[in-house]
Each structure stands twice: as C-alpha cells, then as structure tokens.
Amino acid sequence: MFNEVLFQLSHLEGETVTTQNIIVISGVLIVNIALAVIWSNWDQIKIRLLKIDKYVPYVILLIFLSVWIFVFLIYKFPVSGDVKNFFIPQGEKVLQGFIPNRDFTSSYMPLFTYVLGAIYHLWPNEYSIGLFFTICLVIFIFIFSWLLNMILPKSHSKVTLIMLIGLLNSVLLILGIAYQQDECFILMLFSILIIVSQKKGDFFTGLVAGLFLCLTKITMIILLIPLYIFAKKKKFFFLGWGISTVLIIGYFITQGFSPMRMISGESNAIVPPSLITSFHLIPGVLKVIKINSNIVYIIAILVLVYSSYLLVKRKNLSFNSFPAVLIIIWLIFLLFSLKSLTSYRVLIIPFIPFVLDKFIDKQKKIPYSFAIYCSLVSIYMMFYEDWGKITKLSLNYFTLSQVQQTHYIILSVFELLIVLFEILWIYLALKSITSSKDEMKDQ
C-alpha cells in the first residue's frame, strides 16, 4: 500500500510534489536528524560546545534572522494568506476606528488587531508582520534560556542542549518563520508570563495573564491552566486574571464587540490533526461529530478540567515539572479539539525536549523519535497548505479523483502519526512527574 502511494505520488499529473516541496523535505530531514545526532552524542559533544555556551543564544538569533532573510528576501517565498487576508487588513481597519467583531469578524481577542495595526503602521510592507513574528521568536530565545536556567540551575550543559533541540528544529523554522504563524507572538508572551509568575505575586501574574489573553486569542486560556496549577494563592491568580480580562473585554463590549462572534469563529472550524478529527477515516462519523460539535467541546472541557484537578491535587509539584504539566494540558487540548491547527505545536515544541531528555538513558531512540515527530509536523503543514483546499476532511472520499485520493491518504497517515506521538509525549510527561515525586520522597 505504502509503495503504491509513493509510486502514485511521483507520477501524478499537475506537479503533486514540486521542487520546492523536495527542497523543504530535504532541509527538514537534515536539520532534525542533525539535532538527533547531537542529542544522542551529547556527552562527547558538550565538552566542545561548553566553551561557547554563553554565545549559543546569539548563534540561534543569527540563524533565525538568516532563515527569514533567505526565505523572503532571497528565495522570495510568498507572504502567508493569514497575513495578507486577515492580519494586515484588520490591523488597518482598527487604526481607522473600526471595532473587531462589530465591524468585521475576527477569531482573535480585541487587542490583537491593534498590535498588528501598530506594526504595519510602523512599516507598511507585507513583510512587516512576518518579521515581527520572527523577532518575537528571537526575544523568546533569551527568555527561554533564562527559564531553563531557572529549571536546571545545576545542569548548565543541559540548558545548551535543550535550547538547541527545542529552538532549531524544523517546526520553529518552517511553521514559525517561513509560514509566519502568530503563535510566535503567543509563545513570547507566554514565556514572559512564566517569568512573571516566578518573580511576582499571583495577583499581579493574574493581571498580566488577563492582559496577554486579550492580546492574543481565546485559546490561550488553556495555557493559563499550568500557571493556575503552580500558583500558590490560586484565588488571587484567578481574581487578577478576572479583573483585567473583564475590564478590557467589558470596554470593548460597550463599543459593540461581540464575544460570541469571536468564539463562533474559533469553535465552528474543523482543522486537523487531532484525535477527534482522525475519525474522518470512518465514513460518516465526522459528519455526526460536526453536527454535535458542542458536545465534543463539552467533553474536551471536562477532560481538561479533570486532568487539571488531578494535577492540582498533586502535592510537592515543583517548578521543574512545569514543562511536563504544560505538555499534558496543551496536548490534551489539541487531541480533543476540533480545531487543532498544526501551528499550535509551535507553542509546545521548545518544552518537549526537557521532558524527553529525562528518559534518554533508558530509551536511546528518543532523539530520533522527536526528530520524526518534528519532521511529520513540518511536512504535514506544507502539504496541508498545498493540498488542503481539495482534501480538507472530505466526507466523500470515494468520489475524489486519483490525485485527491493520494493526497488524502498521505495527509491521513501524517495526522495519525502526529496524534500517536502526542499521546506518547503526554504519557512520558505524566511519567516524569511521577518520577520527580518519587525522587523527592527518596530524598
């Protein structure tokens, strides 16, 4: 079956796989395999890298900016549809006095469009928004380095390793920089919020969390769950978050902003890959799920609430388990969501190596498993963008042409593999928390 698909893939009319696709796939595999080799041989490599340890964030910075220059200024890769069709036009409208979800529909929280408008106003060029997202990633490099030093204060060499694996994989390079995903902005804000939670009180952290939520999109509320779990005074965190959120959203409601219009834009779409959307492989099931989408979201919320409750009930949960808790909460959301954008993985990818590295002594293949996962996510994004218009969760698979059938099969295989890997990451994250707790008991 697989060989037949590959044969069809290479002989289909209409350039199923372009030269650009081949270049991207080759680059993705080279980058991820190289990182896996570094990870697997870290004990031998770290002695050399530790000599330039303090320069690693700056090296990553140069790589990110070089990738952006190559992709857009040299290769002339097109600006993404979201930037051209939504981000720039909506940013211009709010600066002209229009209100989001009153005068135009947006799936983002109200302040997000004002940020985009300000960026585009500073540099009225189609590259401005994408460059801004790349700069957000650059800022995240240094915040992430600071975070890792807080989590791993006695293992400085591991900071360098996890920075390399977490930041230079193909997911951040392809999805974050090349496809200009707004998750880069969310990732930066979220990392700042983690630092605030460790430096300031829970009430102030909640206030900032509410502000940042209103700067991004409603789904970021899921990212606040780990912060709530680690808050010492949870009521104060919730109170601060509630005050800033209600004040900002309340103001925009008085101006005509419709929260339900925003939420419906987020909840009505069906976008893979997730455990729920994988049911499109069973004829007729996805149609039933779509009709009962509200029930699906209720189930997802219940699973998240129950998972959060179990984590809250855990005693002696130290801050070095934060990446594991984040992975559990965010990936459960992705698995049970009808809208599980591939780009949502940008928000979790940098943190996964921290957890996986705890098992590398017993599981030598972990670096290559992570390399495969990153490759699947990156290549899937590319093919979904190229083929998505004609294969997007088709309910009439057997009426598709031969070309479309091949696209459908390839995308479906990628979706299933991504879902299986994410279930594995949740399992390992849970196991790492249990291991940490056992170690504390032994001590």
Side-chain angles (χ1 to χ4, degrees):
M1 178 67 175
F2 182 68
N3 290 333
E4 181 183 347
V5 171
L6 288 179
F7 177 81
Q8 292 174 358
L9 185 63
S10 61
H11 289 79
L12 288 173
E13 297 179 359
E15 291 190 327
T16 300
V17 176
T18 65
T19 302
Q20 177 176 288
N21 294 149
I22 294 172
I23 292 172
V24 171
I25 292 172
S26 300
V28 163
L29 295 176
I30 291 171
V31 166
N32 292 329
I33 291 173
L35 290 175
V37 171
I38 291 172
W39 197 352
S40 299
N41 298 278
W42 182 246
D43 289 337
Q44 293 77 33
I45 296 173
K46 69 179 181 182
I47 297 174
R48 297 178 182 178
L49 280 182
L50 285 179
K51 296 178 181 178
I52 59 169
D53 185 80
K54 62 182 179 180
Y55 302 109
V56 169
Y58 300 97
V59 172
I60 297 175
L61 180 156
L62 290 174
I63 291 173
F64 278 2
L65 293 179
S66 297
V67 169
W68 187 87
I69 291 170
F70 173 79
V71 169
F72 296 105
L73 302 186
I74 298 175
Y75 185 75
K76 302 292 185 181
F77 189 75
V79 173
S80 76
D82 284 349
V83 172
K84 293 174 70 173
N85 300 328
F86 300 105
F87 296 164
I88 292 176
Q90 291 180 6
E92 289 182 308
K93 286 180 179 179
V94 294
L95 293 186
Q96 295 168 6
F98 293 93
I99 300 295
N101 288 311
R102 184 194 73 182
D103 303 313
F104 61 88
T105 300
S106 171
S107 58
Y108 290 85
M109 296 289 267
L111 293 180
F112 180 71
T113 47
Y114 289 89
V115 173
L116 300 182
I119 298 300
Y120 189 71
H121 180 72
L122 289 173
W123 184 30
N125 186 289
E126 63 176 4
Y127 290 135
S128 60
I129 302 297
L131 180 59
F132 169 68
F133 292 151
T134 298
I135 292 172
C136 289
L137 276 183
V138 167
I139 296 171
F140 174 72
I141 293 169
F142 296 95
I143 300 174
F144 190 55
S145 175
W146 190 5
L147 278 174
L148 289 175
N149 278 291
M150 290 172 62
I151 297 171
L152 298 167
K154 297 179 181 179
S155 305
H156 197 59
S157 64
K158 287 292 183 180
V159 172
T160 304
L161 171 65
I162 293 177
M163 280 191 67
L164 290 171
I165 306 302
L167 297 178
L168 290 183
N169 61 76
S170 64
V171 176
L172 287 191
L173 297 178
I174 299 295
L175 276 66
I177 298 177
Y179 280 107
Q180 310 123 73
Q181 298 299 308
D182 59 279
E183 280 75 20
C184 299
F185 177 54
I186 299 175
L187 183 63
M188 181 193 71
L189 292 182
F190 179 61
S191 62
I192 293 173
L193 193 53
I194 299 173
I195 296 292
V196 170
S197 73
Q198 295 303 299
K199 299 295 183 181
K200 302 293 181 180
D202 293 321
F203 179 74
F204 182 77
T205 302
L207 286 173
V208 178
L211 170 63
F212 285 2
L213 177 63
C214 294
L215 279 167
T216 55
K217 61 193 325 183
I218 189 65
T219 48
M220 190 186 172
I221 199 170
I222 308 299
L223 294 175
L224 302 186
I225 295 176
L227 292 168
Y228 175 81
I229 290 172
F230 281 90
K232 294 179 180 178
K233 297 179 179 178
K234 294 177 172 53
K235 291 182 180 179
F236 284 92
F237 174 84
F238 188 78
L239 179 63
W241 169 76
I243 288 174
S244 57
T245 304
V246 168
L247 286 176
I248 295 170
I249 296 296
Y251 168 77
F252 278 97
I253 288 176
T254 63
Q255 303 302 306
F257 172 81
S258 170
M260 294 309 299
R261 189 173 170 184
M262 172 191 65
I263 293 172
S264 64
E266 274 291 289
S267 60
N268 288 338
I270 298 183
V271 185
S274 75
L275 184 63
I276 301 299
T277 59
S278 296
F279 282 105
H280 73 81
L281 295 170
I282 306 174
V285 174
L286 187 64
K287 189 173 183 179
V288 174
I289 290 175
K290 188 173 183 179
I291 293 172
N292 298 282
S293 60
N294 290 335
I295 296 175
V296 174
Y297 276 109
I298 290 172
I299 293 172
I301 291 170
L302 290 175
V303 172
L304 272 173
V305 169
Y306 182 66
S307 302
S308 303
Y309 170 77
L310 293 178
L311 290 168
V312 167
K313 296 298 288 183
R314 276 188 171 274
K315 295 181 180 179
N316 301 320
L317 198 62
S318 61
F319 182 65
N320 65 2
S321 295
F322 187 91
V325 172
L326 173 62
I327 288 167
I328 293 166
I329 296 298
W330 188 245
L331 289 185
I332 285 176
F333 163 67
L334 294 187
L335 288 175
F336 284 88
S337 177
L338 282 171
K339 186 178 181 181
S340 181
L341 294 171
T342 316
S343 58
Y344 284 170
R345 276 76 187 171
V346 169
L347 297 169
I348 197 68
I349 280 286
F351 299 94
I352 293 177
F354 173 85
V355 171
L356 299 189
D357 191 64
K358 295 182 179 182
F359 301 94
I360 196 170
D361 290 336
K362 295 181 180 179
Q363 302 291 333
K364 300 296 184 182
K365 295 181 180 179
I366 277 181
Y368 295 95
S369 298
F370 184 67
I372 293 171
Y373 172 70
C374 290
S375 301
L376 287 170
V377 171
S378 304
I379 297 171
Y380 177 83
M381 176 73 172
M382 177 184 66
F383 281 152
Y384 189 81
E385 288 290 307
D386 291 350
W387 303 339
K389 292 181 180 179
I390 60 172
T391 62
K392 194 177 291 182
L393 294 179
S394 172
L395 299 177
N396 301 303
Y397 167 59
F398 293 105
T399 66
L400 297 174
S401 70
Q402 188 64 44
V403 173
Q404 294 168 336
Q405 284 185 19
T406 303
H407 291 171
Y408 188 89
I409 292 170
I410 293 170
L411 289 176
S412 298
V413 170
F414 273 60
E415 291 165 21
L416 285 174
L417 290 174
I418 290 170
V419 166
L420 289 174
F421 269 114
E422 290 175 348
I423 292 172
L424 175 61
W425 303 155
I426 291 174
Y427 167 74
L428 292 177
L430 284 168
K431 193 173 180 180
S432 74
I433 292 174
T434 304
S435 300
S436 298
K437 190 175 179 181
D438 292 339
E439 290 173 4
M440 290 181 68
K441 285 182 179 179
D442 294 338
Q443 293 173 358

